[in-house]
Amino acid sequence: MVFSSVSAEAQTKSKKSKKSKSSAPAEDNSAAPDKVLYDRSVVDIKKGRHEVGRLNLQTLINTYPDSEYLAKAKLLIADSYYKEGGSANLTQAVAGYKDFIVFFPFLPEAPYAQLQVAMTHYKQMDKPDRDRTEAKAAEEEFQTFLAKYPKDPLVGKAEQHLREVQEILAEGDFRIGYYYYVKGDKRASAGRLLAITKRYPLYSRSDEALWMLGDIFEKSEKKEIASIYYARIVREYPLSGRVGDAKGKLVAFGVPVPQADPKALAWMQAEAAAPRQKPGMLSKPKALITSGPDAEKRRSALNGTPQMEPETEGTTVADVLSGGGKAQIAAGGATGATGNTAVVEIATPGSGASGGSTVETGDTGGTAPAATSDANATAPATDNQPAAAASSDTSTGPAAGANQDGTAGNGATPDPNAKPANANASTTADPKAESTSKKKKGLRKIIPW
């Protein structure tokens, strides 16, 4: 009896399994073939068979170009590359997401594709002291998402990730600026710290950057500029530990101490009350092995609007330590370079400075006239005096003697090696005078006295 009951149960189970197997092909046959391919690909990708799933999706795209699952297939291929991971696969994922945005910009999945482009770069970010290429690309893509889809439900996630990315970028600049600050290179340090204070106000150590800038300008005897940065600490970071020291500096400078900004105070209070992930016991050993910026992500701001403007070269290092908006060290072509002597053209020995001169302090012209015996220099004075010009041609007057000795008529003493007068006056001088001067030179060679 027992054996008969067991066999009966086995027979019923086998019949049910046969019915289910026979009914499955009927369901597949009734479904559209493009849907069948898509469903199979979804199952394969969920189970980790990414290559098989992508092959089925590619077959769907090539075989059924007008299918309703075409857009979903393209997006699922990019998702497959993203989930599989790896540098090469993530590169393919970025290309797939961008193609989806180009071909289907008005679908509801377009914001998700743009966010995934940013997340692909976010996933590959290194520590602040390493390569910043992926961090900068992630910042740009997150800003693009927030600018194109400001009302999308994923905006909150994108803003938080953008704050984390900007924390990492600011930390990298801060470390470089701090290194130069300790080393004593004021200009290099200020060039990095200025970018932090202008571009990343949500950075967790912006108050330290402002304090270092104030100290740099104070030691450079620019107290009026240093007081600006000390005042910003009091006004924009009222809960910072540097507020007391900054107020003391302002009082010592005789500058009025500003009041704390209510919005800044509310922001810092919200940051202090926000729950944060605490580092575990193995966080420090893991930091030696992993390349990701975990500590900076935990320190990043949780409130506030991130920087939405693209990075520009607004401040050059040469203009950092110049107060009042005046460049003390100007580049080529700049005006107002006081206290320096600029050589317009350098004359080689044995030849004259043809058209070149040395511009001294206070000269505003492009080129100054050469202080040499140029016959054209006295032309305005001799245009109305033909008799004087005739006498100068005979080389008997004092003016002619001055020209032969290389002394200008206005009393200037030029370089004895420079001979621009003979070169410039060759078209107007008397040929007899030239021949007599050549004869004299030939006699001097033969008879030295």
Side-chain angles (χ1 to χ4, degrees), residues 365-388:
T367 56
T372 55
S373 59
D374 193 353
N376 296 328
T378 58
T382 59
D383 286 340
N384 298 326
Q385 298 176 358

Side-chain angles (χ1 to χ4, degrees), residues 67-399:
S67 172
E68 60 178 335
Y69 296 96
L70 180 65
K72 293 182 179 180
K74 285 183 174 291
L75 187 61
L76 189 57
I77 288 175
D79 285 337
S80 172
Y81 281 118
Y82 179 81
K83 292 177 181 178
E84 190 173 4
S87 178
N89 290 327
L90 292 177
T91 303
Q92 293 289 335
V94 170
Y97 288 129
K98 289 189 175 182
D99 286 344
F100 181 86
I101 296 170
V102 170
F103 289 107
F104 310 100
F106 302 110
L107 288 184
E109 292 86 357
Y112 167 78
Q114 177 60 45
L115 183 63
Q116 286 298 104
V117 173
M119 290 299 297
T120 305
H121 295 294
Y122 177 86
K123 196 174 181 179
Q124 301 179 81
M125 287 191 306
D126 291 326
K127 293 180 180 180
D129 54 352
R130 305 295 175 85
D131 186 19
R132 301 157 51 120
T133 305
E134 295 296 336
K136 286 183 175 293
E139 181 188 26
E140 182 180 354
E141 297 297 339
F142 280 125
Q143 289 172 345
T144 302
F145 172 83
L146 294 173
K148 290 176 67 175
Y149 313 104
K151 297 181 180 180
D152 194 81
L154 298 173
V155 165
K157 179 181 179 182
E159 284 184 347
Q160 181 56 36
H161 285 314
L162 181 56
R163 283 191 285 263
E164 294 173 2
V165 171
Q166 291 179 351
E167 176 77 15
I168 294 165
L169 292 172
E171 178 67 20
D173 285 337
F174 181 83
R175 292 184 183 182
I176 298 173
Y178 181 77
Y179 167 77
Y180 285 119
Y181 176 78
V182 174
K183 188 179 178 182
D185 193 340
K186 300 175 183 177
R187 178 170 296 179
S189 177
R192 296 288 182 169
L193 297 175
L194 274 174
I196 297 172
T197 57
K198 287 184 178 180
R199 182 163 175 76
Y200 304 116
L202 301 182
Y203 175 51
S204 58
R205 291 199 273 185
S206 290
D207 53 344
E208 290 291 333
L210 289 170
W211 175 262
M212 291 160 63
L213 279 172
D215 184 63
I216 288 171
F217 284 103
E218 182 183 359
K219 291 180 179 177
S220 301
E221 298 181 357
K222 299 180 184 294
K223 295 183 179 180
E224 68 281 358
I225 303 177
S227 62
I228 296 175
Y229 295 105
Y230 291 138
R232 284 186 62 185
I233 296 174
V234 179
R235 185 175 57 254
E236 300 176 11
Y237 303 95
L239 299 183
S240 171
R242 292 287 188 181
V243 171
D245 297 333
K247 287 182 179 179
K249 292 285 187 181
L250 292 174
V251 172
F253 295 163
V255 178
V257 179
Q259 296 294 326
D261 187 3
K263 293 182 179 180
L265 181 60
W267 172 73
M268 293 198 76
Q269 289 174 349
E271 286 294 318
R276 295 182 180 275
Q277 182 183 2
K278 296 182 179 179
M281 296 179 62
L282 300 178
S283 60
K284 290 186 178 180
K286 275 186 178 180
L288 300 175
I289 302 172
T290 59
S291 60
D294 295 331
E296 288 74 21
K297 291 180 181 179
R298 290 193 298 267
R299 283 203 311 265
S300 63
L302 300 177
N303 302 281
T305 303
Q307 175 63 254
M308 291 297 298
E309 296 296 328
E311 186 175 4
T312 56
E313 298 292 336
T315 304
T316 60
V317 179
D319 299 335
V320 167
L321 297 180
S322 60
K326 296 180 180 179
Q328 297 296 330
I329 300 177
T335 59
T338 59
N340 295 328
T341 300
V343 177
V344 178
E345 184 174 350
I346 300 174
T348 57
S351 63
S354 57
S357 63
T358 302
V359 181
E360 299 294 339
T361 302
D363 187 8
T364 57
T367 56
T372 55
S373 59
D374 193 353
N376 296 328
T378 58
T382 59
D383 286 340
N384 298 326
Q385 298 176 358
S391 62
S392 62
D393 292 338
T394 56
S395 301
T396 56

